[in-house]
């Protein structure tokens, strides 16, 4: 079923798991070898952290954290960090609450190199990313620790596959000067050229352009790199029969005086989500054998939103690397998930929690989920609706600017009649009611994702 953005009403107005959330016991997976905590200690901490975080070392004294095997677990679990800013923000080094513990973990804040921009921009008082003056942990090591935290950080039992550690790639920090990333070895590179964003202004624009593929492509990985100041970047397709915008024209969402461009709003009503991110640097790989088909001679609508809160004009620009595999390697064709709640009111000066259920008529294997909301959002949760896992929390964020792109391996299986529940809490601390809108001072409640059918 095609999910579409509903904008006509808006125009009228303006003109998996080892243990569930309830605390069931941790159950080891017999197919996973070795204790997960023991692997973290021996293969990650001992190799890359203990040289500094050992008794008597200056860095251990400064941070109050010792990571030698005799005390590391007790030093981490539910311990308030010595960093006062982190303590004031109610972080613990590692919590045992499952998904919410990721955003509440000082350890994760300190090692999560791909989210460096959030770390240094939003929390410079947290110090430096770790390991200090060394390359970041590999992407496999980060994913291994991330999954351990999500599964409530047990000391005993095997809850994460060691195969994840085979990924030895390392996040590369960008240069201060923005430049094009390397071309994909197999695939295509797309480019949204430079455009100005006026001082103290939010500019959102669209550009419908051909990808340049003369034959069908199968995307299994996508990289997105944006200049600083981006709120989001989304690629959209259009529903069959839609009136398509002109190729290569820049379509602004608003005029310079702030009023909306009705023709742009109308062009949005038949858009279909293809892929998007709020992270300035994104690198997402689909599960093995899963790929998204891109038909020959395809065009997509590029949507970039920049928020410039400075007194100077800034420049927006986006590069997209579409990595592809041969058709013979594709076992499942991916489908995109777009679930959008546009009918809500957030009363002025009030905290409000909204819930919205979405059920599906066919079996879906969901392997990616992320959320989209604006600056009044406090928390965004996604739960399974129906079936044996009814109510299980599968997604959580309390960061509206940098929501995670969650990967699920194995995917979340939703049988016919089952679905997802979006639960978002907002603090409308303004003197006006808030509704669905496109500025970051309005609000949204969207689930983006991807799945395949068995």
């Amino acid at each position: 079923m095609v999910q579409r953005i509903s904008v006509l009403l808006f125009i009228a107005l303006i003109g998996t798991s080892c243990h569930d959330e309830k605390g069931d016991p941790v159950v080891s997976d017999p197919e996973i070898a070795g204790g997960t905590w023991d692997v973290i200690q021996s293969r990650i901490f001992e190799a890359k952290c203990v040289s500094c975080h050992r008794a008597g070392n200056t860095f251990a004294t400064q941070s109050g954290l010792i990571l030698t095997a005799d005390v590391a677990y007790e030093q981490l679990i539910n311990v308030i960090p010595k960093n006062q800013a982190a303590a004031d923000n109610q972080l613990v080094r590692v919590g045992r609450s499952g998904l919410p513990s990721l955003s509440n973990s000082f350890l994760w804040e300190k090692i999560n190199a791909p989210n460096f921009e959030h770390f240094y921009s939003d929390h410079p008082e947290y110090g430096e990313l770790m390991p200090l003056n060394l390359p970041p942990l590999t992407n496999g090591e980060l994913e291994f620790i991330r999954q351990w935290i999500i599964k409530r950080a047990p000391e005993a039992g095997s809850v994460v596959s060691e195969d994840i550690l085979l990924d030895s790639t390392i996040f590369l920090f960008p240069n201060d000067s923005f430049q094009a990333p390397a071309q994909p070895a197999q695939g295509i590179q797309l480019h949204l050229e430079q455009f100005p964003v006026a001082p103290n202004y939010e500019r959102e624009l669209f550009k419908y352009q051909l990808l340049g593929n003369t034959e069908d492509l199968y995307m299994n990985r996508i990289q997105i790199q944006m200049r600083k100041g981006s709120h989001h970047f989304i690629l959209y397709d259009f529903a069959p029969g839609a009136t398509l915008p002109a190729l290569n024209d820049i379509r602004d969402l608003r005029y310079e005086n702030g009023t909306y461009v009705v023709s742009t709003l109308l062009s949005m009503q038949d858009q279909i989500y293809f892929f998007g991110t709020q992270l300035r640097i994104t690198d997402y790989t689909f599960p093995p054998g899963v790929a998204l088909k891109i038909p020959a001679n395809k065009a997509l609508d590029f949507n970039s939103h920049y928020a410039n809160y400075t007194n100077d004009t800034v420049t927006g620009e986006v590069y997209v690397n579409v990595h592809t595999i041969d058709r013979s390697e594709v076992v499942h064709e991916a489908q995109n998930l777009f679930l959008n709640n546009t009918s809500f009111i957030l009363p002025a000066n009030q905290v409000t929690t909204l819930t919205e259920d979405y059920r599906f008529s066919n079996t879906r294997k969901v392997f990616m989920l992320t959320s989209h909301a604006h600056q009044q959002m406090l928390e965004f949760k996604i739960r399974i609706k129906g079936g044996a896992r009814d109510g299980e929390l599968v997604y959580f964020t309390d960061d509206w600017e940098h929501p995670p792109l969650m990967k699920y391996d194995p995917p979340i299986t939703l049988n016919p009649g089952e679905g997802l529940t979006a639960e978002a809490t907002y603090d409308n601390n303004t003197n006006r009611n808030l509704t669905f809108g496109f500025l970051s001072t309005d609000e949204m409640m969207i689930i983006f994702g991807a799945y395949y059918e068995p």
Side-chain angles (χ1 to χ4, degrees):
M1 179 177 64
V2 172
Q3 298 286 341
R4 302 184 183 181
I5 295 180
S6 176
V7 297
L8 294 179
L9 176 61
F10 186 75
I11 295 173
L13 291 173
I14 67 166
T16 167
S17 87
C18 61
H19 173 284
D20 68 17
E21 194 184 8
K22 300 174 184 177
D24 294 336
V26 173
V27 177
S28 297
D29 185 337
E31 295 183 2
I32 299 176
T36 298
W37 165 251
D38 293 336
V39 172
I40 291 172
Q41 180 62 46
S42 62
R43 295 179 60 176
I44 302 176
F45 288 169
E46 295 287 347
K48 299 185 176 181
C49 307
V50 166
S51 60
C52 289
H53 289 277
R54 54 181 171 79
N57 185 280
T58 301
F59 296 109
T61 302
Q62 179 182 358
S63 65
L65 176 61
I66 298 174
L67 289 176
T68 51
D70 55 333
V71 296
Y73 191 79
E74 292 75 16
Q75 289 265 308
L76 289 173
I77 301 300
N78 292 326
V79 175
I80 297 173
K82 190 175 178 180
N83 181 285
Q84 191 58 52
D88 291 345
N89 289 337
Q90 299 183 319
L91 269 61
V92 295
R93 287 172 177 161
V94 176
R96 298 198 65 190
S97 300
L99 267 173
S101 288
L102 269 183
S103 59
N104 192 44
S105 169
F106 193 51
L107 173 70
W108 184 243
E109 286 275 356
K110 294 286 281 186
I111 65 175
N112 187 14
N115 210 16
F116 76 99
E117 191 166 45
H118 154 71
F119 183 85
Y120 287 121
S121 298
D122 298 345
H123 301 295
E125 67 277 15
Y126 286 1
E128 298 293 331
L129 285 167
M130 295 289 121
L132 186 64
N133 297 325
L134 293 172
L137 300 184
T138 68
N139 291 324
E141 291 166 341
L142 289 173
E143 179 63 13
F144 194 82
I145 292 173
R146 188 187 73 86
Q147 289 197 25
W148 173 70
I149 295 174
I150 288 174
K151 295 181 179 181
R152 296 181 181 263
E155 184 175 12
S158 303
V159 294
V160 185
S161 171
E162 291 184 41
D163 288 347
I164 291 172
L165 294 172
L166 296 175
D167 182 358
S168 60
T169 59
I170 294 177
F171 177 79
L172 299 177
F173 294 100
N175 297 323
D176 290 337
S177 58
F178 186 81
Q179 54 188 313
Q183 296 267 356
Q186 181 175 331
I188 55 176
Q189 184 173 91
L190 312 174
H191 184 208
L192 180 59
E193 295 85 356
Q194 295 183 14
F195 56 88
V197 184
N200 298 299
Y201 186 73
E202 291 189 30
R203 186 177 186 189
E204 183 166 1
L205 56 82
F206 298 83
K207 183 182 180 184
Y208 188 55
Q209 62 185 68
L210 289 166
L211 307 189
N213 60 314
T214 56
E215 58 184 23
D216 292 349
L217 298 178
Y218 293 87
M219 181 183 82
N220 73 329
R221 177 186 175 195
I222 185 168
Q223 294 173 293
I224 298 175
Q225 184 172 313
M226 299 177 268
R227 285 184 181 268
K228 289 182 180 181
S230 173
H231 171 56
H232 75 240
F233 177 76
I234 302 176
L235 292 168
Y236 286 109
D237 197 356
F238 283 95
T243 300
L244 300 177
L247 286 169
N248 302 320
D249 283 355
I250 296 294
R251 306 178 342 263
D252 271 282
L253 182 60
R254 297 188 301 155
Y255 295 107
E256 291 184 1
N257 64 7
T259 60
Y260 284 90
V261 181
V262 174
S263 60
T264 300
L265 290 171
L266 288 171
S267 74
M268 297 168 65
Q269 65 180 317
D270 289 322
Q271 285 177 328
I272 303 172
Y273 171 79
F274 184 86
F275 192 89
T277 182
Q278 285 180 249
L279 302 177
R280 186 162 69 94
I281 299 175
T282 296
D283 189 345
Y284 193 92
T285 301
F286 290 14
V290 179
L292 188 63
K293 182 179 178 179
I294 303 175
N297 303 308
K298 188 66 178 175
L300 291 174
D301 212 14
F302 290 35
N303 169 217
S304 184
H305 182 173
Y306 269 74
N308 179 13
Y309 303 124
T310 74
N311 294 322
D312 300 312
T313 298
V314 302
T315 300
E317 185 178 12
V318 185
Y319 280 94
V320 181
N321 276 353
V322 174
H323 297 259
T324 62
I325 57 177
D326 293 335
R327 176 67 182 91
S328 60
E329 301 177 60
V330 179
V331 180
H332 300 287
E333 286 192 19
Q335 306 291 327
N336 289 313
L337 189 68
F338 173 64
L339 308 173
N340 187 16
N341 178 13
T342 61
S343 302
F344 59 82
I345 297 175
L346 303 176
N349 299 300
Q350 185 173 315
V351 174
T352 304
T353 297
L354 305 174
T355 59
E356 189 77 9
D357 294 333
Y358 304 92
R359 292 183 183 268
F360 310 121
S361 59
N362 55 342
T363 300
R364 299 186 176 193
K365 301 276 189 177
V366 178
F367 62 86
M368 182 184 79
L369 288 172
T370 189
S371 62
H372 187 82
H374 290 164
Q375 60 188 17
Q376 311 307 132
M377 187 209 81
L378 297 178
E379 293 182 346
F380 200 118
K381 299 177 180 179
I382 303 175
R383 300 179 188 274
I384 294 176
K385 183 67 177 179
R389 299 170 66 181
D390 182 54
E392 181 181 333
L393 183 70
V394 293
Y395 176 94
F396 175 89
T397 187
D398 58 5
D399 186 348
W400 73 275
E401 289 186 287
H402 310 92
L405 285 167
M406 291 290 290
K407 298 181 181 181
Y408 301 94
D409 186 14
I412 301 168
T413 300
L414 299 175
N415 295 311
E418 299 172 5
L420 299 171
T421 295
E423 178 185 319
T425 300
Y426 305 86
D427 180 8
N428 181 6
N429 54 13
T430 74
N431 293 321
R432 64 185 181 97
N433 291 347
L434 296 179
T435 58
F436 174 84
F438 298 106
L439 294 177
S440 61
T441 50
D442 299 312
E443 267 309 335
M444 288 190 173
M445 184 180 176
I446 300 175
I447 294 175
F448 292 120
Y451 67 95
Y452 60 86
E453 298 178 2

